[in-house]
Amino acid sequence: MPPSQNPTNSEERINKFLARAGVASRRGAEELISAGRVRLNGSLVTELGTKVIPGRDIVEVDGAAVRVRSDRMYMILNKPAGHVSTLNDPQGRRTVAELMPETDHRLFNVGRLDMDTTGILLLTDDGELAHRLMHPRYHVSKEYLATVAGRPTEDVLKQIRSGIELDDGPTRPAEADIERLGDTTSVIRLVIREGRKRQVRRMLAAVGHRVLALHRVRFGPIDLGELKLGETRELTDAETEALIANAGLGGRVE
Ligand code: URA
């Protein structure tokens, strides 16, 4: 393992942490501490041997949070239909694993898309972030384009917006707008903040519209953009930070 990394997030001396973050040499970091310029979780650091846990503790120099670049990986895939969204499938169906680039990172999918749903799927080896993003408490928004049979009325949209009674309970208020209205098929844009099984399909079926195609265009702050079906890309640093903030981990030192 290169000395600049600490992937296990185990305890380390604060001067080593500051050196890894590129703030100063280890010796220089000690000088910053002696000069009273370093804080740990809001308290002034006075002991040179103070230990920190990267990823949990907040270290500041002159009031600015110090981040050590994470060696975790964050990718999105534009999932095509016909693949299950896990990386291995006990039933032997085609998985998204065959669409992922070669990597030493042990990635896993954050949430799922149905086999026949297309669009943005996040994959990462950041367990803490993934856990939060999937937890209902954080209400991460997901935006879908649903091609449906028929011409949805304003009343249908209102029902979706106010919540629909499903067999596993009422849905939370959602956003719903017409993207394209046609005689036989139409496209509805929906934003939901839950992740129940086949939720969008069940919501639309409950208001009388069969889903012909379902495509997810946004996951939290991450837009699918121009990524083609079956292709992957790594998130930019700005996107990763937005995702971390979205999951309520904004103060986390990377
Ligand atoms: N809702 C669905 O019905 N299916 C998906 O794949 C995602 C959301």
Side-chain angles (χ1 to χ4, degrees):
M1 181 182 72
S4 64
Q5 291 180 15
N6 176 15
T8 54
N9 282 358
S10 52
E11 227 181 34
E12 69 180 320
R13 280 174 67 109
I14 195 163
N15 65 332
K16 182 174 171 210
F17 172 87
L18 289 168
R20 278 199 311 124
V23 169
S25 64
R26 288 194 197 184
R27 178 83 196 99
E30 289 182 351
E31 284 169 12
L32 291 173
I33 294 166
S34 302
R37 293 169 61 186
V38 181
R39 286 183 177 267
L40 172 60
N41 299 325
S43 304
L44 195 64
V45 176
T46 51
E47 293 289 325
L48 296 181
T50 299
K51 301 257 177 69
V52 300
I53 298 185
R56 188 199 71 184
D57 291 328
I58 297 172
V59 179
E60 290 165 302
V61 175
D62 297 334
V66 174
R67 304 172 75 83
V68 175
R69 216 185 126 60
S70 163
D71 64 340
R72 297 185 188 111
M73 187 177 235
Y74 305 87
M75 300 214 73
I76 55 168
L77 163 71
N78 186 350
K79 187 185 100 56
H83 293 256
V84 289
S85 46
T86 50
L87 288 153
N88 70 63
D89 182 58
Q91 297 175 44
R93 294 170 297 182
R94 297 183 82 179
T95 73
V96 295
E98 63 190 74
L99 304 167
M100 302 304 293
E102 286 265 316
T103 169
D104 291 337
H105 291 255
R106 287 175 59 93
L107 299 178
F108 48 89
N109 48 295
V110 179
R112 293 186 184 191
L113 291 175
D114 300 334
M115 172 93 112
D116 42 356
T117 300
T118 55
I120 184 168
L121 182 69
L122 175 70
L123 298 110
T124 183
D125 55 355
D126 184 339
E128 185 187 22
L129 178 71
H131 177 73
R132 293 243 183 164
L133 291 171
M134 286 189 279
H135 197 288
R137 175 159 31 122
Y138 296 96
H139 307 311
V140 174
S141 66
K142 293 136 214 153
E143 184 171 333
Y144 295 88
L145 291 177
T147 306
V148 297
R151 276 174 83 84
T153 59
E154 187 54 36
D155 183 54
V156 157
L157 300 179
K158 275 196 191 132
Q159 288 183 59
I160 297 172
R161 288 179 194 136
S162 54
I164 288 177
E165 197 60 52
L166 297 179
D167 52 14
D168 53 356
T171 60
R172 293 172 60 85
E175 292 166 39
D177 293 285
I178 296 293
E179 180 74 10
R180 184 177 61 75
L181 206 54
D183 288 335
T184 53
T185 67
S186 304
V187 179
I188 304 180
R189 184 180 291 271
L190 280 111
V191 180
I192 62 170
R193 292 183 166 73
E194 302 166 279
R196 298 194 229 163
K197 215 164 176 240
R198 295 182 79 81
Q199 182 168 345
V200 173
R201 292 173 200 276
R202 288 191 293 137
M203 286 168 75
L204 289 167
V207 291
H209 289 281
R210 193 158 53 89
V211 172
L212 306 173
L214 186 60
H215 185 59
R216 184 158 73 183
V217 293
R218 183 171 61 76
F219 183 87
I222 314 300
D223 277 313
L224 185 58
E226 299 300 312
L227 196 64
K228 296 199 174 66
L229 271 180
E231 294 197 340
T232 58
R233 72 167 173 86
E234 281 195 62
L235 296 187
T236 64
D237 287 352
E239 286 175 321
T240 306
E241 298 216 347
L243 204 56
I244 287 169
N246 215 251
L249 290 168
R252 186 174 73 162
V253 176
E254 281 289 297

